[in-house]
Amino acid sequence: MTRLPSSLPFRVFVRSLLIQGSWNYRTMIGTGMAFALLPLLEYLHRDDPEGLERAVERHAGHFNAHPYLAELALGSLARLEGEREGEDVVRRFRAAVGGPLGALGDRLVWATWLPLCSLLGLVGLELGLRPWGAAVLFLIVYNVGHLGLRVWAFRTGLLEGPGMVHRLRTAALLAHARRADVVVVVLAGMLSGLLLVDAAAVMAPTWPWVLGAAAAAAAGVALGSRAWRSAALVVVAVVAALLVPHLLS
Amino acid sequence: MTELALVLLGGVIALDGVAVGQFMVSRPLVAGLLAGTIAGDPITGGAVGAILEAYLLVVVPSGGARYPEPGPAAVVGAAAAVWVGGAEGLALGVAGGLVWGQVGAFTQTLLRHANGGIVPVPGERRATARSVARAHAGAVLLDGVRGSALTALGLALAAWLSPYLSPAWPLGTGRTRALLLLGAFVSFGILARGGAVRARRLLLYAAGIAAGVLVGFLTGGAAS
């Protein structure tokens, strides 16, 4: 592999924090990937403007993956470019990794880590943590995982290149996601229970509220995400119905 | 100055949501608190943010799907709640935040279409180092402007509405909060379900409820 200045991987990583900056329905994060790789590509092709243009072209095309796990692809592509691998190799690798990294990232981060951290903050609030304490707890816990994943992914991609696929399997990220998922469900239950106790203190009688909460939770269990919009609409409609008479008077 | 600070906050928060870093200061739990602090009442802002966070637990920024945009919505909702004050402010803040999240989603879709028109697309528009850098930076700037404009419009609407709201809201703050949180139980149910209804997950959820009730009674609850 071409010897690179030590600052180059760092510069690519920092730019990768903006990888979704130009998200669009045509290239998705492709433009962002090219943007992040620019310092490396400009260095490798510093005496070859046409080579630089070809390199930018092959990285600016359509690509989509979870933004944190895209670091794996980014690091691997940086290694492939550093090893002066052919265009075909780079294009085939890009085409192969996007989808799996997207699905895995969605499961690991958006469906598990983010709600787990949010629930930690909300449960903390219910247990008496001050609002700033809950917010800081959420931010610290979330970003330890977030940045840890990004750094691990970028480093793994850079060190292993396309061999990162094997490391991805052995890292057992899905197993971690499944374990964290258990915590999410228990915390969601804990928050539900804490809110029930709160409601009992302020609602008299309490049973209509408990019935409403149980019905709402049951709707979520039965219908999944389809129930969300209806629930939000009902809440907005009830608030509007109580406020609107005052608006018209 | 407060309004300007809130508008700028909305822009920064919108950037954090997708384009820059995703450090999650754009989540309502944080954004509502920040907006409430700027508007002069962090407790009310934090309360709006916490309720919106409970609703938006199951809303995830996944790929090209359209989802409610939480950040600027929480800023607008928190500010509206502080300006109106009291239980009706809390209700308006949460309901307004839920509505404004959908407006934000619509503007994000527009932004993504606009980005498709400015980025270089290999085979159609030459992708050079300069064109990629310019397009990417321009798109980030556009997102920040969009977030600020969205926040400014939401704040203007809230300011226009607030004199028309009567202080005769029928419920106290505690009951209003409990009522608003009813809808969030749908989110809890969705989390309990996961990808499909499974007995093990429902048992874990029930165990969590039992633990929460026990801890709630032992600690005396947090309702105020």
Side-chain angles (χ1 to χ4, degrees):
Chain A
M1 183 164 151
T2 305
R3 195 172 172 78
L4 301 173
S6 54
S7 65
L8 261 182
F10 177 74
R11 286 170 63 195
V12 170
F13 179 77
V14 168
R15 280 175 170 239
S16 75
L17 297 175
L18 286 81
I19 207 163
Q20 295 196 119
S22 55
W23 209 103
N24 66 90
Y25 295 110
R26 304 202 64 195
T27 63
M28 298 201 166
I29 65 168
T31 312
M33 292 285 282
F35 173 77
L37 285 169
L38 276 180
L40 174 72
L41 299 178
E42 285 170 341
Y43 176 80
L44 290 173
H45 301 279
R46 55 196 182 282
D47 299 320
D48 179 11
E50 281 179 20
L52 174 62
E53 195 168 313
R54 283 198 304 275
V56 173
E57 278 266 331
R58 63 177 168 262
H59 289 291
H62 179 277
F63 185 83
N64 200 25
H66 187 279
Y68 302 174
L69 288 187
E71 303 279 2
L72 269 168
L74 199 64
S76 301
L77 288 167
R79 187 172 182 96
L80 286 173
E81 290 290 341
E83 289 175 341
R84 309 282 186 175
E85 289 289 349
E87 276 195 41
D88 277 349
V89 172
V90 171
R91 287 190 196 279
R92 278 203 307 271
F93 178 76
R94 273 178 109 256
V97 298
L101 292 180
L104 179 59
D106 284 353
R107 172 82 201 269
L108 183 64
V109 182
W110 300 147
T112 306
W113 187 239
L114 178 57
L116 188 153
C117 296
S118 292
L119 283 164
L120 263 179
L122 290 172
V123 167
L125 260 181
E126 282 298 304
L127 291 177
L129 210 56
R130 293 210 179 263
W132 279 113
V136 167
L137 173 69
F138 162 73
L139 285 174
I140 288 176
V141 175
Y142 180 82
N143 283 298
V144 163
H146 158 215
L147 291 171
L149 181 62
R150 282 188 115 130
V151 168
W152 170 84
F154 182 68
R155 223 173 148 263
T156 300
L158 203 58
L159 291 174
E160 309 279 342
M164 63 84 174
V165 173
H166 170 71
R167 283 293 302 274
L168 198 57
R169 281 198 208 108
T170 57
L173 292 176
L174 267 179
H176 291 316
R178 276 193 284 271
R179 278 191 285 270
D181 204 29
V182 169
V183 179
V184 168
V185 178
V186 172
L187 280 176
M190 254 198 96
L191 183 59
S192 303
L194 287 165
L195 291 174
L196 279 168
V197 172
D198 277 353
V202 296
M203 305 291 270
T206 309
W207 66 265
W209 191 92
V210 173
L211 267 182
V221 170
L223 300 171
S225 52
R226 286 170 296 168
W228 190 88
R229 193 157 281 170
S230 307
L233 266 170
V234 166
V235 168
V236 171
V238 166
V239 169
L242 289 169
L243 283 172
V244 159
H246 306 302
L247 271 173
L248 296 177
S249 63
Chain B
M1 278 306 286
T2 302
E3 289 80 7
L4 180 63
L6 286 167
V7 166
L8 289 174
L9 177 69
V12 168
I13 294 271
L15 285 174
D16 177 75
V18 176
V20 181
Q22 289 188 307
F23 298 104
M24 297 301 155
V25 291
S26 50
R27 293 298 298 185
L29 188 65
V30 183
L33 189 56
L34 286 169
T37 303
I38 292 173
D41 185 353
I43 301 296
T44 300
V48 169
I51 297 173
L52 286 175
E53 185 72 43
Y55 274 91
L56 295 172
L57 281 170
V58 295
V59 169
V60 291
S62 172
R66 188 190 279 194
Y67 52 87
E69 188 183 17
V75 172
V76 169
V82 171
W83 290 341
V84 172
E88 66 270 29
L90 186 66
L92 178 69
V94 171
L98 289 172
V99 169
W100 215 243
Q102 298 295 335
V103 175
F106 175 69
T107 67
Q108 271 191 325
T109 303
L110 291 179
L111 173 73
R112 287 168 173 191
H113 283 296
N115 285 346
I118 63 177
V119 299
V121 179
E124 288 181 28
R125 290 191 289 274
R126 261 177 77 211
T128 64
R130 195 172 202 189
S131 66
V132 162
R134 277 184 160 175
H136 197 72
V140 170
L141 184 66
L142 197 58
D143 196 7
V145 169
R146 178 198 65 88
S148 287
L150 180 69
T151 305
L153 184 62
L155 292 174
L157 270 172
W160 172 75
L161 261 177
S162 54
Y164 295 100
L165 300 175
S166 164
W169 176 260
L171 304 170
T173 304
R175 286 182 166 221
T176 299
R177 180 179 175 270
L179 191 70
L180 291 169
L181 280 165
L182 267 182
F185 274 78
V186 170
S187 294
F188 305 152
I190 294 171
L191 287 174
R193 171 196 166 98
V197 183
R198 289 204 170 85
R200 184 170 170 264
R201 291 182 72 96
L202 296 179
L203 277 172
L204 283 169
Y205 181 59
I209 292 175
V213 168
L214 181 65
V215 171
F217 276 118
L218 288 175
T219 58
S224 58

